[in-house]
Amino acid sequence: PWSVQSSNIMLWFLGCDCVKNRSSRAAAVCLVLMCVLLLTAVIVLCVHIHTKNTNYTKETQQLLTKITNLTEERDQLLTKNINLTNERDGLSTKNDNLTKQTQQNIIHQYFNVNGWSYYNLSLYFISSEWKSWTESRRYCKERGADLIIINNREEQKFVTSIAGRTAVWIGLTDSDEEGRWKWVGGSNMISSFWWSGEPSGYRGKNCAVSYPSGWYDNQCNTANKWICEKSFVKYHIP
């Protein structure tokens, strides 16, 4: 009986070892399979990520190429626009110059026929008669003008050019207050072109006359030629 029981116990232990060995092999196989599956998943994921990165890189390059092309097209359009603007400005300047030249030609032709000269937006008339300063001014005012007011050296040169060597009355007087010379209309004298020693300051010499050499004071009742002036801005060619 003891030997039988001993045999049974031995068989039970052997059976348990077999079961344990089988379970260990199964666990090992499962672990290997799981590792294979995990490695496969990692490989697939890496391939997927690499593919996406490659696609993104290609798309990025394509976008950069498009941006570069658009930038070049924009620069070309800007250059064309600048060139067209310069051409337009050049044509506009030429047109303005031609228009001004045409207007000046028309003005000169019209007013020269009618006895008036055009200069710097003003009209000038030089008489062929001799009158006193007061009568000369009356003549100008009856024609919507007044005796000339000389504002600068350029205008003084213009007066000399149209008057020549002739003395002409200008719109300058100190009749209201001795020694205080004013232009017709009441404005103060700013620029002056008196000849050396002029005005003389003699009483009775209260009106200014312009010679090629400069201005002189003179008696207002003396007969001289005169120059009328009126603004061209308010004048309309019929």
Side-chain angles (χ1 to χ4, degrees):
W2 171 254
S3 60
V4 173
Q5 290 180 357
S6 297
S7 299
N8 291 334
I9 292 170
M10 289 292 291
L11 291 173
W12 183 81
F13 276 110
L14 290 172
C16 288
D17 289 337
C18 290
V19 171
K20 287 181 180 181
N21 290 333
R22 289 175 186 160
S23 298
S24 298
R25 285 197 296 272
V29 171
C30 289
L31 182 61
V32 170
L33 289 174
M34 289 179 66
C35 290
V36 171
L37 290 174
L38 181 60
L39 180 61
T40 303
V42 169
I43 293 171
V44 171
L45 182 61
C46 289
V47 171
H48 179 70
I49 291 172
H50 177 72
T51 303
K52 280 192 173 182
N53 287 336
T54 303
N55 293 334
Y56 287 151
T57 302
K58 289 181 180 178
E59 291 177 0
T60 302
Q61 290 176 348
Q62 291 175 354
L63 287 174
L64 288 174
T65 303
K66 287 182 179 180
I67 291 172
T68 301
N69 293 335
L70 289 173
T71 302
E72 291 177 354
E73 291 179 3
R74 182 205 61 188
D75 293 340
Q76 291 175 357
L77 289 173
L78 287 173
T79 302
K80 287 182 180 179
N81 183 59
I82 292 171
N83 292 335
L84 289 173
T85 301
N86 292 335
E87 290 180 6
R88 182 203 63 191
D89 293 342
L91 291 173
S92 179
T93 301
K94 288 182 180 179
N95 182 61
D96 290 342
N97 292 335
L98 288 173
T99 301
K100 289 179 181 178
Q101 188 63 42
T102 302
Q103 289 176 345
Q104 289 180 356
N105 290 337
I106 293 172
I107 289 167
H108 283 297
Q109 289 175 6
Y110 176 80
F111 289 111
N112 285 341
V113 170
N114 289 273
W116 291 81
S117 298
Y118 173 82
Y119 172 76
N120 197 23
L121 298 179
S122 291
L123 300 172
Y124 300 86
F125 175 84
I126 182 167
S127 69
S128 57
E129 303 175 77
W130 283 261
K131 293 180 182 290
S132 68
W133 189 90
T134 303
E135 291 173 340
S136 298
R137 189 181 184 194
R138 183 183 300 114
Y139 179 96
C140 294
K141 292 181 75 66
E142 288 174 352
R143 288 155 180 79
D146 209 334
L147 286 174
I148 185 173
I149 297 174
I150 300 174
N151 296 303
N152 49 57
R153 186 170 297 278
E154 287 71 24
E155 194 169 12
Q156 175 65 23
K157 290 180 179 178
F158 173 74
V159 169
T160 303
S161 69
I162 62 175
R165 297 180 178 273
T166 305
V168 290
W169 288 122
I170 60 177
L172 190 63
T173 179
D174 69 343
S175 298
D176 294 337
E177 183 179 346
E178 186 69 31
R180 187 176 181 183
W181 291 86
K182 286 190 174 184
W183 292 108
V184 289
S187 60
N188 292 321
M189 179 184 63
I190 299 176
S191 299
S192 62
F193 304 97
W194 295 106
W195 179 246
S196 179
E198 296 292 329
S200 64
Y202 294 148
R203 289 189 175 276
K205 290 188 174 183
N206 301 118
C207 294
V209 63
S210 178
Y211 283 87
S213 56
W215 299 348
Y216 294 77
D217 59 356
N218 205 342
Q219 294 179 352
C220 297
N221 58 359
T222 304
N224 284 300
K225 289 186 176 183
W226 67 92
I227 296 179
C228 301
E229 178 186 8
K230 61 182 173 180
S231 173
F232 174 74
V233 177
K234 298 180 181 180
Y235 196 89
H236 299 282
I237 300 176

CSV table of all heavy atoms in Angstrom, one decimal, residues 54-85:
chain,number,residue,atom,x,y,z
A,54,THR,N,6.8,63.3,-46.0
A,54,THR,CA,7.2,63.5,-47.4
A,54,THR,C,6.2,64.3,-48.2
A,54,THR,O,6.5,65.2,-48.9
A,54,THR,CB,7.4,62.1,-48.0
A,54,THR,OG1,8.4,61.4,-47.3
A,54,THR,CG2,7.9,62.3,-49.5
A,55,ASN,N,4.9,63.9,-48.0
A,55,ASN,CA,3.8,64.7,-48.6
A,55,ASN,C,3.8,66.1,-48.2
A,55,ASN,O,3.6,67.1,-49.0
A,55,ASN,CB,2.5,64.0,-48.4
A,55,ASN,CG,2.4,62.6,-49.0
A,55,ASN,OD1,3.0,62.4,-50.0
A,55,ASN,ND2,1.5,61.8,-48.4
A,56,TYR,N,3.9,66.4,-46.9
A,56,TYR,CA,3.9,67.7,-46.4
A,56,TYR,C,5.1,68.5,-47.0
A,56,TYR,O,5.0,69.7,-47.3
A,56,TYR,CB,4.0,67.8,-44.9
A,56,TYR,CG,2.8,67.4,-44.2
A,56,TYR,CD1,2.8,66.8,-42.9
A,56,TYR,CD2,1.5,67.6,-44.8
A,56,TYR,CE1,1.6,66.4,-42.3
A,56,TYR,CE2,0.3,67.2,-44.2
A,56,TYR,CZ,0.4,66.6,-42.9
A,56,TYR,OH,-0.8,66.2,-42.3
A,57,THR,N,6.3,67.8,-47.1
A,57,THR,CA,7.4,68.5,-47.6
A,57,THR,C,7.2,68.9,-49.1
A,57,THR,O,7.5,70.0,-49.5
A,57,THR,CB,8.7,67.6,-47.5
A,57,THR,OG1,8.9,67.2,-46.2
A,57,THR,CG2,9.9,68.3,-48.1
A,58,LYS,N,6.6,68.0,-49.9
A,58,LYS,CA,6.3,68.3,-51.3
A,58,LYS,C,5.3,69.4,-51.4
A,58,LYS,O,5.5,70.3,-52.2
A,58,LYS,CB,5.8,67.0,-52.0
A,58,LYS,CG,6.8,65.9,-52.2
A,58,LYS,CD,6.2,64.7,-52.9
A,58,LYS,CE,7.2,63.6,-53.1
A,58,LYS,NZ,6.6,62.4,-53.7
A,59,GLU,N,4.3,69.4,-50.6
A,59,GLU,CA,3.3,70.4,-50.6
A,59,GLU,C,3.9,71.8,-50.2
A,59,GLU,O,3.6,72.8,-50.8
A,59,GLU,CB,2.1,70.1,-49.6
A,59,GLU,CG,1.2,68.9,-50.1
A,59,GLU,CD,0.1,68.6,-49.1
A,59,GLU,OE1,0.1,69.3,-48.1
A,59,GLU,OE2,-0.6,67.7,-49.4
A,60,THR,N,4.8,71.7,-49.2
A,60,THR,CA,5.4,73.0,-48.8
A,60,THR,C,6.3,73.5,-49.9
A,60,THR,O,6.3,74.7,-50.1
A,60,THR,CB,6.3,72.7,-47.5
A,60,THR,OG1,5.5,72.2,-46.5
A,60,THR,CG2,7.0,74.0,-47.1
A,61,GLN,N,7.0,72.7,-50.6
A,61,GLN,CA,7.9,73.1,-51.7
A,61,GLN,C,7.0,73.7,-52.8
A,61,GLN,O,7.4,74.7,-53.4
A,61,GLN,CB,8.7,71.9,-52.2
A,61,GLN,CG,9.8,71.5,-51.2
A,61,GLN,CD,10.6,70.3,-51.7
A,61,GLN,OE1,10.2,69.6,-52.6
A,61,GLN,NE2,11.7,70.0,-51.0
A,62,GLN,N,5.9,73.0,-53.1
A,62,GLN,CA,5.0,73.5,-54.1
A,62,GLN,C,4.4,74.9,-53.7
A,62,GLN,O,4.3,75.8,-54.6
A,62,GLN,CB,3.8,72.5,-54.3
A,62,GLN,CG,4.3,71.2,-55.0
A,62,GLN,CD,3.1,70.2,-55.1
A,62,GLN,OE1,2.0,70.4,-54.5
A,62,GLN,NE2,3.4,69.1,-55.7
A,63,LEU,N,4.0,75.0,-52.4
A,63,LEU,CA,3.5,76.3,-52.0
A,63,LEU,C,4.6,77.4,-52.1
A,63,LEU,O,4.3,78.6,-52.5
A,63,LEU,CB,3.0,76.2,-50.5
A,63,LEU,CG,1.7,75.5,-50.4
A,63,LEU,CD1,1.4,75.3,-48.9
A,63,LEU,CD2,0.5,76.2,-51.0
A,64,LEU,N,5.8,77.0,-51.7
A,64,LEU,CA,6.9,78.0,-51.8
A,64,LEU,C,7.2,78.4,-53.2
A,64,LEU,O,7.5,79.6,-53.5
A,64,LEU,CB,8.2,77.4,-51.1
A,64,LEU,CG,8.2,77.3,-49.6
A,64,LEU,CD1,9.5,76.5,-49.1
A,64,LEU,CD2,8.1,78.7,-48.9
A,65,THR,N,7.1,77.4,-54.1
A,65,THR,CA,7.3,77.7,-55.5
A,65,THR,C,6.2,78.7,-56.0
A,65,THR,O,6.5,79.6,-56.8
A,65,THR,CB,7.3,76.4,-56.4
A,65,THR,OG1,8.3,75.5,-55.9
A,65,THR,CG2,7.5,76.7,-57.8
A,66,LYS,N,4.9,78.4,-55.6
A,66,LYS,CA,3.8,79.3,-56.0
A,66,LYS,C,4.0,80.7,-55.5
A,66,LYS,O,3.8,81.7,-56.2
A,66,LYS,CB,2.5,78.7,-55.6
A,66,LYS,CG,2.0,77.5,-56.3
A,66,LYS,CD,0.7,77.0,-55.8
A,66,LYS,CE,0.2,75.8,-56.6
A,66,LYS,NZ,-1.1,75.3,-56.1
A,67,ILE,N,4.4,80.7,-54.2
A,67,ILE,CA,4.6,82.1,-53.6
A,67,ILE,C,5.7,82.8,-54.3
A,67,ILE,O,5.6,84.0,-54.6
A,67,ILE,CB,5.0,81.9,-52.1
A,67,ILE,CG1,3.8,81.4,-51.3
A,67,ILE,CG2,5.5,83.2,-51.5
A,67,ILE,CD1,4.1,81.0,-49.9
A,68,THR,N,6.8,82.1,-54.7
A,68,THR,CA,7.9,82.7,-55.4
A,68,THR,C,7.4,83.3,-56.8
A,68,THR,O,7.8,84.4,-57.2
A,68,THR,CB,9.1,81.7,-55.6
A,68,THR,OG1,9.5,81.3,-54.3
A,68,THR,CG2,10.2,82.4,-56.3
A,69,ASN,N,6.7,82.4,-57.5
A,69,ASN,CA,6.1,82.9,-58.8
A,69,ASN,C,5.2,84.1,-58.6
A,69,ASN,O,5.3,85.0,-59.4
A,69,ASN,CB,5.4,81.7,-59.4
A,69,ASN,CG,6.3,80.6,-59.8
A,69,ASN,OD1,7.5,80.8,-60.0
A,69,ASN,ND2,5.8,79.3,-59.9
A,70,LEU,N,4.3,84.0,-57.6
A,70,LEU,CA,3.4,85.1,-57.4
A,70,LEU,C,4.2,86.4,-57.0
A,70,LEU,O,3.8,87.5,-57.5
A,70,LEU,CB,2.4,84.8,-56.3
A,70,LEU,CG,1.4,83.7,-56.6
A,70,LEU,CD1,0.6,83.4,-55.4
A,70,LEU,CD2,0.4,84.3,-57.7
A,71,THR,N,5.2,86.3,-56.2
A,71,THR,CA,6.1,87.4,-55.9
A,71,THR,C,6.7,88.0,-57.1
A,71,THR,O,6.8,89.2,-57.3
A,71,THR,CB,7.1,87.0,-54.8
A,71,THR,OG1,6.5,86.4,-53.7
A,71,THR,CG2,8.0,88.2,-54.4
A,72,GLU,N,7.2,87.2,-58.0
A,72,GLU,CA,7.9,87.7,-59.2
A,72,GLU,C,6.8,88.3,-60.1
A,72,GLU,O,7.1,89.4,-60.7
A,72,GLU,CB,8.5,86.5,-60.0
A,72,GLU,CG,9.7,85.9,-59.2
A,72,GLU,CD,10.3,84.7,-60.0
A,72,GLU,OE1,9.7,84.3,-61.0
A,72,GLU,OE2,11.4,84.2,-59.5
A,73,GLU,N,5.6,87.8,-60.2
A,73,GLU,CA,4.6,88.4,-61.0
A,73,GLU,C,4.2,89.7,-60.4
A,73,GLU,O,4.0,90.7,-61.1
A,73,GLU,CB,3.3,87.5,-61.0
A,73,GLU,CG,3.6,86.2,-61.9
A,73,GLU,CD,2.3,85.3,-61.9
A,73,GLU,OE1,1.3,85.7,-61.3
A,73,GLU,OE2,2.4,84.2,-62.5
A,74,ARG,N,4.1,89.8,-59.0
A,74,ARG,CA,3.8,91.1,-58.4
A,74,ARG,C,4.8,92.1,-58.7
A,74,ARG,O,4.5,93.3,-59.0
A,74,ARG,CB,3.6,90.8,-56.9
A,74,ARG,CG,3.2,92.1,-56.1
A,74,ARG,CD,3.7,92.0,-54.7
A,74,ARG,NE,5.2,91.9,-54.6
A,74,ARG,CZ,5.8,91.7,-53.5
A,74,ARG,NH1,5.2,91.4,-52.3
A,74,ARG,NH2,7.2,91.6,-53.5
A,75,ASP,N,6.1,91.7,-58.6
A,75,ASP,CA,7.2,92.7,-58.8
A,75,ASP,C,7.1,93.2,-60.3
A,75,ASP,O,7.4,94.4,-60.6
A,75,ASP,CB,8.5,92.0,-58.5
A,75,ASP,CG,8.7,91.7,-57.1
A,75,ASP,OD1,8.0,92.3,-56.2
A,75,ASP,OD2,9.6,90.9,-56.7
A,76,GLN,N,6.8,92.3,-61.2
A,76,GLN,CA,6.7,92.7,-62.6
A,76,GLN,C,5.6,93.6,-62.8
A,76,GLN,O,5.7,94.6,-63.5
A,76,GLN,CB,6.5,91.4,-63.5
A,76,GLN,CG,7.8,90.5,-63.6
A,76,GLN,CD,7.5,89.3,-64.4
A,76,GLN,OE1,6.4,89.0,-64.8
A,76,GLN,NE2,8.6,88.4,-64.5
A,77,LEU,N,4.4,93.3,-62.2
A,77,LEU,CA,3.3,94.3,-62.3
A,77,LEU,C,3.6,95.6,-61.7
A,77,LEU,O,3.2,96.6,-62.2
A,77,LEU,CB,2.1,93.6,-61.6
A,77,LEU,CG,1.4,92.4,-62.3
A,77,LEU,CD1,0.4,91.8,-61.4
A,77,LEU,CD2,0.9,92.9,-63.6
A,78,LEU,N,4.3,95.6,-60.5
A,78,LEU,CA,4.7,96.9,-59.9
A,78,LEU,C,5.6,97.7,-60.8
A,78,LEU,O,5.5,98.9,-60.9
A,78,LEU,CB,5.4,96.6,-58.5
A,78,LEU,CG,4.5,96.2,-57.4
A,78,LEU,CD1,5.3,95.8,-56.2
A,78,LEU,CD2,3.5,97.3,-57.0
A,79,THR,N,6.6,97.0,-61.4
A,79,THR,CA,7.5,97.6,-62.3
A,79,THR,C,6.7,98.2,-63.5
A,79,THR,O,7.0,99.4,-63.9
A,79,THR,CB,8.6,96.7,-62.9
A,79,THR,OG1,9.3,96.1,-61.7
A,79,THR,CG2,9.5,97.3,-63.8
A,80,LYS,N,5.8,97.5,-64.1
A,80,LYS,CA,5.0,98.0,-65.2
A,80,LYS,C,4.2,99.2,-64.7
A,80,LYS,O,4.0,100.1,-65.5
A,80,LYS,CB,4.0,96.9,-65.7
A,80,LYS,CG,4.8,95.8,-66.5
A,80,LYS,CD,3.8,94.7,-67.0
A,80,LYS,CE,4.5,93.6,-67.8
A,80,LYS,NZ,3.5,92.6,-68.3
A,81,ASN,N,3.6,99.1,-63.5
A,81,ASN,CA,2.8,100.2,-63.0
A,81,ASN,C,3.6,101.4,-62.8
A,81,ASN,O,3.2,102.6,-63.2
A,81,ASN,CB,2.2,99.8,-61.7
A,81,ASN,CG,1.2,100.8,-61.1
A,81,ASN,OD1,0.3,101.2,-61.7
A,81,ASN,ND2,1.6,101.3,-59.9
A,82,ILE,N,4.8,101.3,-62.3
A,82,ILE,CA,5.7,102.4,-62.2
A,82,ILE,C,6.1,103.0,-63.5
A,82,ILE,O,6.1,104.3,-63.7
A,82,ILE,CB,7.0,102.0,-61.4
A,82,ILE,CG1,6.7,101.7,-60.0
A,82,ILE,CG2,8.1,103.1,-61.5
A,82,ILE,CD1,7.8,101.0,-59.2
A,83,ASN,N,6.4,102.2,-64.5
A,83,ASN,CA,6.7,102.7,-65.8
A,83,ASN,C,5.5,103.4,-66.5
A,83,ASN,O,5.7,104.5,-67.1
A,83,ASN,CB,7.1,101.5,-66.7
A,83,ASN,CG,8.5,100.9,-66.3
A,83,ASN,OD1,9.3,101.6,-65.7
A,83,ASN,ND2,8.7,99.6,-66.6
A,84,LEU,N,4.3,102.8,-66.3
A,84,LEU,CA,3.1,103.5,-66.8
A,84,LEU,C,2.9,104.8,-66.1
A,84,LEU,O,2.5,105.8,-66.8
A,84,LEU,CB,1.9,102.5,-66.7
A,84,LEU,CG,1.9,101.3,-67.6
A,84,LEU,CD1,0.7,100.4,-67.2
A,84,LEU,CD2,1.8,101.7,-69.1
A,85,THR,N,3.1,104.8,-64.8
A,85,THR,CA,2.9,106.1,-64.1
A,85,THR,C,3.9,107.1,-64.5
A,85,THR,O,3.5,108.3,-64.7
A,85,THR,CB,3.1,105.8,-62.6
A,85,THR,OG1,2.2,104.8,-62.1
A,85,THR,CG2,2.9,107.1,-61.8
